[in-house]
Each structure stands twice: as structure tokens, then as C-alpha cells.
Amino acid sequence: MREFALIDEIRSRVSNTRDDVVLGIGDDAAILAPRPGHELVVSTDTLVSGVHFPPNTAAFDVGWKALAVNLSDLAAMGAEPAWVTLALTLPEGSPEWPLAFVDGFAALAAEHRVALVGGDTTRGPLAITVAVHGFVPRGTALRRDGASAGDAIFVSGTLGDAAAGLAVVLADAFASRPERAALRARLDRPTPRVALGLALRGVASACIDVSDGLAADLGHVARRSGVGATVDVDALPASDALRACADPDRRRDWQLRGGDDYELCFTVPDDRVADAERAAAQAGVPIARIGTVTKRPGLVDAGGDALAPDRAGWDHFA
Amino acid sequence: MREFALIDEIRSRVSNTRDDVVLGIGDDAAILAPRPGHELVVSTDTLVSGVHFPPNTAAFDVGWKALAVNLSDLAAMGAEPAWVTLALTLPEGSPEWPLAFVDGFAALAAEHRVALVGGDTTRGPLAITVAVHGFVPRGTALRRDGASAGDAIFVSGTLGDAAAGLAVVLADAFASRPERAALRARLDRPTPRVALGLALRGVASACIDVSDGLAADLGHVARRSGVGATVDVDALPASDALRACADPDRRRDWQLRGGDDYELCFTVPDDRVADAERAAAQAGVPIARIGTVTKRPGLVDAGGDALAPDRAGWDHFA
């Protein structure tokens, strides 16, 4: 399939009904109408085959994940998604792969009313770069640098599932367990916590998405905020699937250091904890309190032992 | 060099002094302040080694070109560049290559006061994706769909040099000629015509940048505008270097069908031709009148023979 034919096909599969798209795909650039009184929030992430997803991942799931990891960055800022660009580098091959990819991308885009406003398709080793754009009312974005000593630390959903899913793919782990598919689905088709991010505006003091692993990502918040954290490792939320498959040591390691969960980790001033719990309930996302922000730098567990990740983050599975 | 160290190095080399960057690199996303009364113009382009630039291209030049081809899209819209994101996929290797790359990128960014507001570095086969953001006063963007029968057609600078430069690289062409370096420089370090694009707002009826070759790109304008064009092939501008190296047939083919020149091709209503010439003079960019927009679809030369590109565009050197 030639470049122009593929772009036409992509345009026909991704609907773009947003009033703020003045001119979409088809010119040298898109023309967009930013929302008055709002700031624009922009992030970009690349997915490389064999680095960010196993090469045998279904094309639909790669498309989904490419958008999901970018929407997750907007979620962590409390931003409402609006527009996205997609740069797709594809090896020679049948058009089935890119079309299934686009279907996965389009399914998640439709769920969040995101318009595809620009793209580029090139030939080369499989890689996808997405740039995503969203809005926050001026001054309300959730940042990494707002945590203060005494704030409560929360995390959404469950941790460690994606790392367990990766073990399923790479090491054929838990061969006899029925939970394998559920764990792999958490790796391949993450859920960006957009509604939770929106609900936490004006409530959370700092926020980040858990892409590199909780210890690494909470470490980013702590460093940027000039604080530290005590983490109650026993309070880290785990799915039933993870509990059923992994022994406690392995589970805890994945919950602390596994990447690709795309949950939100956020801090809340002590007097806003009830508001945060209400906001999460409204967003329909379970949250768990996992620790407290401390004046003293560094991450420690409830016993005071250092929680420094033994690797500086997930760094994917390279 | 680890990912975080490289990002720090990039941040230190690309200056980001713009009032409209509320929060730059270092959080989950950038926070940006769009300009009131303006529309946002967004484009993205990927460069893959061996597809969009010869593998032996100097790292500095790859960095320059990665930004230049994106700024060229903004130029074609008449937009003023503001912000850029950079997704860099790098094979394992010494940090010298990425740092020289960033220097080339930063040199052009500084020239256009573009702030690097987001990025991602990943390991994998060398590829670069840039998303660029600029502004136009509401309703003033130059588009492809505004050409009308009778409009004059212009092109900036000279055409065919980059194709000749590619022949130098790939086929060791013009072995004895001193102009080789100049031709290769046009391939490796294109000049985005940003000032010309700005000057043409309110004057040009349609505009595109010449990335796929004049015939292909003017064809895009004609199709989107529902018109055709007569092109005076003898009027296509050529550099002295190209004239010195290439015989007339080859030269004409490159001028019509060679890609990567990143000049602007634009149409101007007959009664605004003097304004266009004045605007180009003010922007300091030579322009040449190369033809006329026709009611009848299709591209023909002055003798009425079809000018359909024998390939559907440059499609790079794949």
C-alpha cells in the first residue's frame, strides 16, 4: 500500500468530529482552535517494536497502546484530550497490519473523543510516535513538583500486572494459570486514567503516571518536589490475577519496579484526602493510600529501609 | 548514555526562553499558553535513516534537517513557529552522534526562536519524529485549497538542487566538479522558508512546500483546489551549481520531480502579483513566476503536454 493510500484509509477509519479542528489531515499542517482561557498540554512518546512491545503483539493492541501511553501522560497532568498526531514507520508488508493497528488506535481515540489531526507514514523498522494535545483551565494542571511533606500518597488501580504480563510473553510464565490472558491484556491494552486525572484537578498536589515503575516514578515526584516518601509496601494494590500467579516476593518486586501499568500515582494534602476519595469514586477508579510524603529526601518503606529502585526505572525490557 | 542523561544534555543545549512555555521538559507533558486570537498550526514528520537521509549524513545535518522539514510545513501554512517536540530513536552507541544531532537541531531552533517542549528518547533503529507547532492570526493560514483559475504560480529559490545532491551521495555524480559540496548541502541542510510564508499571508491564495517534487506538490494544490495548472518548464529556477553540473534534460527532470528542496510553491491572484513580489523581496527570498492556474484539471507544460509526474511524487529514495 502506498503512503497516500494508507493515509486515506487511516482518515476514513478515525473519525474527526470536533468543532476545534479547523482543518485536519490533508494539508501541510492542521489548523486548530485552542480553547480560550485554557492552557495546552502536549506530550510525545515513541513505541519501538521489541523495546516497548513484544514483536508478536497484535496490531490492534499496538495501535491501542500507542495512543494509551500518550493519553496517560495527559491524564497525569489532569488534561482533557483533544488532538493527536501519529507518525507510523512501517516495514514493507501487507496492509493488514497497519489497518488493524489503526483500528486499535481509532477505538481508543473514539472513547476519548480525540481527533487525529496529522500524520506521517514512512517505510522503515516498525516504530510509532504519537504527540497528544489536551487542555486544562489555566493554572490547574497537575504537575510533579507540588508535593509537600505530610501529603498522602495514592495510587490508582493495581500495580505489577503489566510486568507479570511481560513475564507471560517473554518467559511463558504461569503456564498452567487461567489468569495469563488477563495479565497480558494489562500489558498490551492499558487503560489511561483520563477521568481520574480530570477529577483530581484542584485536589491532588502532584501527579505522575506509573510507566517506569512506582519506585522510579514516585522518585521523580519526590525529586521535583524536593521531598521524600515513605511507602507502605504491603498497601500496594494487587490484582487477584497477580496474587494468584506470583509469589509474594516476586509480586512485590513487580508492584514496586515493574513498568507499563499506566496507573496514576498522586499526592494529596491531608485535609483533601476525603475529596480525593470522592473524586476517584466519581471517576469510577479505585485508589489506594500507599504512603506519606516526607521532608527527608529518598524513598523508604514502612520500616525505614531505602526503597531505591535497583534499576533507575523500568527502562522497558531492553 | 542512559535516557535520562541524554535528555538532560539535550535540555542544556536547546534554549527555551519563550514566555508562552509555562512548563517545559521534565514533567509528564509540557504546559503551553496558546496566543489569543490565533489558531494553532501543527505538523509532524518522521525521518528514517536510509530513507529520508543517506546513512552517512553528518549527525549535525540530520538534526538540522529533522527540524527544517517540519518548519517548512509551517512555512507553507504561513505560520510563525513556536514549539517543537522531538522523539529520537537511537541505536546503541557513543553519545557523540546524538549530541552532534542535538547541536544541529538546536542551531536551527535558535534561528527561529522555537522552544523544545517535549521529547522522548528510545533505543532502536535510528529514526526521528518531530511535531512542530506555530501560530497564525485566526483565519489567515495559507492552505492548499485556495487556488483559482487565472492565479499566477510562483516558486521560491531554486529547484532540483537536493536531487542533484542526492546523486552526489548515491552515485558519486559530478566527480570533478567543485559544486558538489553546495548541492549536497542543499540536500542535507535545507532552508525552511518561514519568513516568506509569513510575508505571503493575505497575498497568496494557496501554498505548499516542495518536498515530494514540484509536479507532485503543485498537483496536490491543483487537486485540493479543483483546478489545473500550466507550467512554463523553462521558467523553473535553477541554481548556477545545478546548471554547471547537470545536462538540461536531467536538470529539468530534477527541477520538476526531485524532492527535498523545501521551497514554497504558491499561487497569487493576478491583481496581487506585485504584492507577492514585494512580500518576497521583504522576506529576502527570490521568487520566480512559473505558470498559471487553469480551470481545466491536470498539469501541462507551455506546449499543452501533460506534466504528470512519472512517479506519484518523490517517495524519497526508496
Side-chain angles (χ1 to χ4, degrees), chain B residues 62-298:
Chain B
V62 176
W64 176 284
K65 188 167 182 173
L67 182 56
V69 305
N70 279 278
L71 290 178
S72 181
D73 284 320
L74 291 191
M77 305 296 288
E80 181 188 327
W83 312 310
V84 69
T85 63
L86 167 63
L88 190 53
T89 302
L90 288 169
E92 295 275 359
S94 79
E96 278 155 44
W97 200 97
L99 295 181
F101 170 93
V102 168
D103 282 340
F105 190 93
L108 188 60
E111 216 171 86
H112 292 277
R113 291 196 57 248
V114 174
L116 179 69
V117 299
D120 190 19
T121 59
T122 53
R123 243 172 296 162
L126 180 60
I128 307 106
T129 296
V130 170
V132 75
H133 303 72
F135 292 109
V136 288
R138 195 177 293 142
T140 66
L142 304 176
R143 302 164 54 142
R144 295 181 180 178
D145 58 5
S148 300
D151 288 358
I153 304 170
F154 285 88
V155 72
S156 66
T158 58
L159 295 175
D161 296 323
L166 186 59
V168 168
V169 179
L170 296 187
D172 201 24
F174 325 128
S176 61
R177 304 289 321 185
E179 296 87 355
R180 281 162 53 99
L183 293 171
R184 171 134 202 200
R186 285 270 295 173
L187 175 71
D188 289 343
R189 225 181 275 191
T191 304
R193 297 300 194 183
V194 173
L196 178 60
L198 295 177
L200 290 174
R201 288 200 306 230
V203 178
S205 52
C207 189
I208 194 169
D209 71 327
V210 181
S211 53
D212 293 336
L214 178 72
D217 290 317
L218 181 55
H220 294 320
V221 168
R223 261 189 311 281
R224 295 274 294 188
S225 299
V227 295
T230 300
V231 176
D232 179 0
V233 176
D234 292 329
L236 297 180
S239 68
D240 292 341
L242 185 64
R243 285 185 194 281
C245 291
D247 65 69
D249 280 354
R250 207 171 181 194
R251 168 166 61 77
R252 230 172 272 128
D253 187 55
W254 282 337
Q255 289 176 287
L256 267 176
R257 299 186 185 90
D260 269 4
D261 282 321
Y262 301 101
E263 297 294 348
L264 295 186
C265 175
F266 55 96
T267 62
V268 179
D270 206 44
D271 59 352
R272 305 300 303 276
V273 164
D275 293 330
E277 283 165 344
R278 209 171 302 122
Q282 276 165 8
V285 180
I287 61 173
R289 182 167 179 168
I290 62 162
T292 306
V293 177
T294 60
K295 206 175 267 186
R296 184 192 167 124

Side-chain angles (χ1 to χ4, degrees), chain A residues 92-117:
Chain A
E92 294 276 1
S94 80
E96 278 156 45
W97 200 98
L99 294 181
F101 170 92
V102 168
D103 283 340
F105 189 93
L108 188 61
E111 216 172 86
H112 291 277
R113 291 196 56 249
V114 175
L116 179 68
V117 298

Side-chain angles (χ1 to χ4, degrees), chain A residues 23 27-32 39-43 45-46 51-52 87 120 122-123 133 141 143-144 208-209 315, chain B residues 2 23 26-32 40-43 45-46 51-52 87 120 122-123 133 143-144 208-209 315:
Chain A
L23 182 69
D27 210 299
D28 290 288
I31 307 174
L32 307 167
E39 286 162 338
L40 184 70
V41 177
V42 177
S43 183
D45 268 310
T46 297
V51 181
H52 301 89
D120 191 19
T122 52
R123 243 172 295 162
H133 303 72
R143 302 165 51 142
R144 296 181 179 177
I208 193 169
D209 71 327
D315 215 13
Chain B
R2 293 192 53 82
L23 182 68
D27 211 299
D28 290 286
I31 306 174
L32 307 167
L40 185 70
V41 177
V42 177
S43 183
D45 268 310
T46 297
V51 180
H52 300 88
D120 190 19
T122 53
R123 243 172 296 162
H133 303 72
R143 302 164 54 142
R144 295 181 180 178
I208 194 169
D209 71 327
D315 215 16

Side-chain angles (χ1 to χ4, degrees), chain A residues 39-116:
Chain A
E39 286 162 338
L40 184 70
V41 177
V42 177
S43 183
T44 188
D45 268 310
T46 297
L47 278 72
V48 176
S49 179
V51 181
H52 301 89
F53 56 89
N56 68 351
T57 305
F60 185 99
D61 291 347
V62 176
W64 175 285
K65 188 167 182 172
L67 181 56
V69 305
N70 279 277
L71 290 178
S72 180
D73 283 320
L74 291 190
M77 304 297 288
E80 181 188 327
W83 312 312
V84 70
T85 63
L86 167 63
L88 189 53
T89 302
L90 289 168
E92 294 276 1
S94 80
E96 278 156 45
W97 200 98
L99 294 181
F101 170 92
V102 168
D103 283 340
F105 189 93
L108 188 61
E111 216 172 86
H112 291 277
R113 291 196 56 249
V114 175
L116 179 68

Side-chain angles (χ1 to χ4, degrees), chain A residues 119-238:
Chain A
D120 191 19
T121 59
T122 52
R123 243 172 295 162
L126 179 60
I128 306 107
T129 296
V130 169
V132 74
H133 303 72
F135 292 109
V136 288
R138 194 177 294 141
T140 67
L142 304 175
R143 302 165 51 142
R144 296 181 179 177
D145 58 4
S148 299
D151 288 359
I153 304 171
F154 285 88
V155 73
S156 66
T158 59
L159 295 175
D161 297 322
L166 187 58
V168 167
V169 179
L170 295 188
D172 201 25
F174 325 128
S176 61
R177 305 289 320 185
E179 295 87 355
R180 281 162 54 99
L183 293 171
R184 171 134 200 200
R186 285 270 295 172
L187 174 71
D188 289 343
R189 225 181 275 191
T191 303
R193 298 299 194 184
V194 173
L196 179 60
L198 295 177
L200 289 174
R201 288 200 306 230
V203 177
S205 52
C207 189
I208 193 169
D209 71 327
V210 181
S211 54
D212 293 336
L214 177 73
D217 290 316
L218 180 56
H220 294 320
V221 168
R223 260 190 310 280
R224 296 273 294 187
S225 298
V227 296
T230 300
V231 175
D232 178 1
V233 177
D234 292 329
L236 297 181

